[in-house]
């Protein structure tokens, strides 16, 4: 006899950003009943599971599957954590659990690179994010040259990269370690340049904050930003390329070399003392804002994609497998599998990658964003 997995009900509810009260209204079950179900204090009737599966958009088999991968909230590094609601944080953590299941499925079917993010020896004495950035570049033999693709680099070093489909700027990215495997989730709702910086930011967390919470969130985020800036735009390379008076045309001309946003490049120049004064920097920022660079990146670079996922999906397509087939094997909704992968794929003809999901899946995701609760 199959046993109902109460943790999976809790995850599905949080992933859909529904409160117990709202899920009760949609399913016809009382909040107290749902609370007991999520705590494992009672077994649901078959018709109740059917209602929950229909409302949450998860297959019934999902709720009878094995225990979910454990994800310690304290070990997850969230970018823009301060602006996230509790519901968004819980939904992102739920996506992390689903991503682990997807990656474990991938590991069973394909040979992936092993993690090569070493812990620094005490003798290396990296005391600042800038020193960490220089150290890992030297360790990987990159030198001072620009990074062609952050996603390619992370994947080559054994980081499992997945995408998110949150449609909010408040969840930029997050990362964590699990069983000595590093994970990075990127929100492709942001500009391509923002995703590049987010990827480097999360690399900083994986390297510098592997042991979990040591400093406050504010300090950790500032350290990861400094790491990302130094890692993407090495001082030696920047000083060799940027000479003379710094103005907006110079920033727009040079920023694409490092695949960063205009503001990220301006902040890097400021950290290197390449502005004459704070007022000089402020005037450049005002002009960039006037030109629209605060909210977008006019004339931006192409979005970086995943070689691994492109190769995997192409291989599966040749064997007549689709997102729905993967989802069926994992007992997941197809829209969740698509959300974890689609943002990393190179745009091609649909039949070369995977079929578009039926419109009801897209409509269902929109519905959950409207119905989402506060916890």
């Amino acid at each position: 006899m199959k046993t109902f997995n109460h943790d999976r009900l809790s995850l599905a509810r949080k992933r859909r950003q529904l409160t117990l009260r709202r899920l009760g209204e949609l399913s016809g079950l009382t909040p107290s009943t749902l609370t007991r179900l999520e705590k494992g204090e009672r077994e649901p009737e078959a018709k109740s599971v059917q209602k929950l599966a229909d409302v949450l958009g998860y297959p019934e088999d999902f709720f009878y599957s094995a225990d979910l991968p454990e994800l310690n909230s304290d070990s997850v590094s969230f970018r823009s954590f301060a602006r996230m609601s509790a519901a968004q944080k819980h939904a992102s953590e739920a996506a992390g659990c689903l991503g682990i299941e997807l990656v474990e499925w991938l590991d069973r079917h394909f040979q992936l690179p092993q993690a090569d993010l070493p812990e620094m020896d005490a003798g290396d004495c990296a005391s600042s994010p800038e020193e960490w950035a220089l150290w890992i570049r030297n360790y990987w033999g990159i030198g001072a040259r620009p990074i062609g693709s952050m996603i390619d680099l992370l994947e080559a070093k054994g980081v499992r990269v997945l995408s998110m489909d949150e449609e909010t700027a408040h969840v930029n990215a997050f990362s964590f370690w699990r069983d000595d495997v590093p994970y990075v989730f990127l929100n492709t709702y942001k500009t391509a340049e923002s995703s590049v910086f987010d990827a480097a930011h999360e690399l900083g967390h994986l390297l510098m904050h592997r042991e979990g919470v040591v400093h406050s969130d504010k300090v950790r985020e500032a350290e990861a930003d400094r790491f990302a800036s130094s890692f993407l735009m090495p001082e030696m390379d920047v000083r060799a390329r940027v000479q003379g008076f710094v103005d907006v045309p110079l920033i727009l001309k040079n920023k694409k070399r490092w695949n960063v946003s205009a503001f990220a490049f301006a902040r890097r120049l400021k950290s290197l003392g390449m502005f004459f004064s704070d007022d000089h920097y402020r005037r450049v920022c005002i002009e960039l804002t006037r030109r629209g660079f605060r909210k977008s990146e006019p004339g931006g670079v192409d979005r970086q994609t995943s070689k691994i996922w492109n190769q995997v999906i192409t291989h599966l397509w040749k064997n007549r497998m689709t997102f729905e087939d993967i989802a069926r094997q994992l007992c997941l909704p197809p829209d969740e599998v698509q959300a974890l992968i689609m943002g990393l794929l190179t745009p091609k003809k649909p039949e070369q990658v995977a079929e578009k999901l039926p419109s009801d899946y897209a409509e269902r995701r929109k519905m959950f964003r409207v119905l989402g609760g506060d916890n």
Side-chain angles (χ1 to χ4, degrees), residues 303 305-318 323 338 341-356:
R303 185 170 298 281
T305 57
S306 163
K307 285 184 179 178
I308 287 179
W309 279 114
N310 274 291
Q311 291 171 355
V312 166
I313 295 302
T314 299
H315 172 81
L316 295 177
W317 175 82
K318 289 179 179 178
F323 283 124
Q338 186 186 41
I341 301 173
M342 202 65 182
L344 300 173
L345 298 182
T346 302
K348 298 178 181 178
K349 295 179 181 179
E351 66 272 15
Q352 291 180 299
V353 180
E355 82 294 352
K356 292 182 66 177

Side-chain angles (χ1 to χ4, degrees), residues 193-307:
E193 288 85 354
S194 292
S195 287
V196 169
F197 197 90
D198 287 348
H201 176 103
E202 297 308 323
L203 174 60
H205 278 309
L206 292 171
L207 288 168
M208 299 186 296
H209 307 138
R210 185 169 181 171
E211 300 304 319
V213 177
V214 178
H215 305 298
S216 67
D217 290 327
K218 185 176 181 180
V219 171
R220 283 157 48 91
E221 289 302 292
E223 288 178 344
D225 274 344
R226 287 168 56 193
F227 171 90
S229 184
S230 299
F231 183 77
L232 291 171
M233 298 166 277
E235 179 176 359
M236 182 184 301
D237 193 35
V238 172
R239 291 192 182 280
R241 296 282 172 172
V242 180
Q243 300 178 2
F245 184 77
V246 176
D247 55 12
V248 169
L250 179 144
I251 289 174
L252 299 185
K253 176 183 177 182
N254 287 277
K255 71 184 184 71
K256 289 186 178 181
R257 174 175 174 79
W258 297 280
N259 293 317
V260 297
S261 69
F263 271 99
F265 188 38
R267 285 191 293 270
R268 180 57 171 155
L269 296 179
K270 184 176 187 298
S271 73
L272 295 176
M274 300 181 74
F275 285 93
F276 288 124
S277 64
D278 288 343
D279 184 62
H280 177 198
Y281 173 69
R282 183 181 62 83
R283 283 187 279 108
V284 166
C285 289
I286 290 173
E287 177 61 17
L288 287 173
T289 300
R290 188 188 69 79
R291 296 193 186 193
F293 285 91
R294 180 72 66 179
K295 296 183 178 180
S296 62
E297 201 67 26
V301 300
D302 293 335
R303 185 170 298 281
Q304 296 178 1
T305 57
S306 163
K307 285 184 179 178

Side-chain angles (χ1 to χ4, degrees), residues 69-339:
E70 292 185 7
L71 185 59
N72 183 355
S73 296
D74 291 338
S75 68
V76 182
S77 296
F78 283 104
R79 183 151 167 73
S80 296
F81 175 79
R83 291 182 289 168
M84 293 172 62
S85 68
Q88 289 170 339
K89 181 175 182 291
H90 293 154
S92 297
E93 290 174 344
C97 291
L98 299 181
I100 291 172
E101 286 208 315
L102 178 59
V103 165
E104 290 179 347
W105 173 87
L106 187 67
D107 275 321
R108 291 194 296 271
H109 292 83
F110 300 89
Q111 186 173 359
L112 302 180
Q114 296 298 304
D116 185 23
L117 275 67
E119 296 185 65
M120 189 181 294
D121 294 332
D124 292 310
C125 296
S127 59
S128 71
E130 292 79 9
E131 289 172 331
W132 269 100
L134 179 61
W135 180 83
I136 194 63
R137 272 182 164 269
N138 289 336
Y139 177 85
W140 284 340
I142 299 174
R145 68 178 184 272
I147 306 298
S149 168
M150 271 303 303
I151 293 179
D152 285 353
L153 177 62
L154 291 178
E155 290 185 329
K157 301 307 177 183
V159 179
R160 307 310 189 233
V161 182
L162 294 159
S163 67
M164 294 184 290
D165 181 26
E166 305 305 286
E167 292 191 6
T168 173
H170 294 171
V171 187
N172 286 350
F174 65 97
S175 60
F176 55 84
W177 285 88
R178 184 178 184 275
D179 296 336
D180 293 325
V181 176
Y183 288 77
V184 165
F185 289 71
L186 298 175
N187 188 350
T188 53
Y189 180 71
K190 303 296 290 292
T191 66
E193 288 85 354
S194 292
S195 287
V196 169
F197 197 90
D198 287 348
H201 176 103
E202 297 308 323
L203 174 60
H205 278 309
L206 292 171
L207 288 168
M208 299 186 296
H209 307 138
R210 185 169 181 171
E211 300 304 319
V213 177
V214 178
H215 305 298
S216 67
D217 290 327
K218 185 176 181 180
V219 171
R220 283 157 48 91
E221 289 302 292
E223 288 178 344
D225 274 344
R226 287 168 56 193
F227 171 90
S229 184
S230 299
F231 183 77
L232 291 171
M233 298 166 277
E235 179 176 359
M236 182 184 301
D237 193 35
V238 172
R239 291 192 182 280
R241 296 282 172 172
V242 180
Q243 300 178 2
F245 184 77
V246 176
D247 55 12
V248 169
L250 179 144
I251 289 174
L252 299 185
K253 176 183 177 182
N254 287 277
K255 71 184 184 71
K256 289 186 178 181
R257 174 175 174 79
W258 297 280
N259 293 317
V260 297
S261 69
F263 271 99
F265 188 38
R267 285 191 293 270
R268 180 57 171 155
L269 296 179
K270 184 176 187 298
S271 73
L272 295 176
M274 300 181 74
F275 285 93
F276 288 124
S277 64
D278 288 343
D279 184 62
H280 177 198
Y281 173 69
R282 183 181 62 83
R283 283 187 279 108
V284 166
C285 289
I286 290 173
E287 177 61 17
L288 287 173
T289 300
R290 188 188 69 79
R291 296 193 186 193
F293 285 91
R294 180 72 66 179
K295 296 183 178 180
S296 62
E297 201 67 26
V301 300
D302 293 335
R303 185 170 298 281
Q304 296 178 1
T305 57
S306 163
K307 285 184 179 178
I308 287 179
W309 279 114
N310 274 291
Q311 291 171 355
V312 166
I313 295 302
T314 299
H315 172 81
L316 295 177
W317 175 82
K318 289 179 179 178
N319 288 276
R320 300 297 185 264
M321 284 190 67
T322 66
F323 283 124
E324 289 192 333
D325 294 315
I326 300 173
R328 193 176 300 110
Q329 290 188 26
L330 295 171
C331 298
L332 291 176
D335 67 303
E336 292 290 8
V337 174
Q338 186 186 41

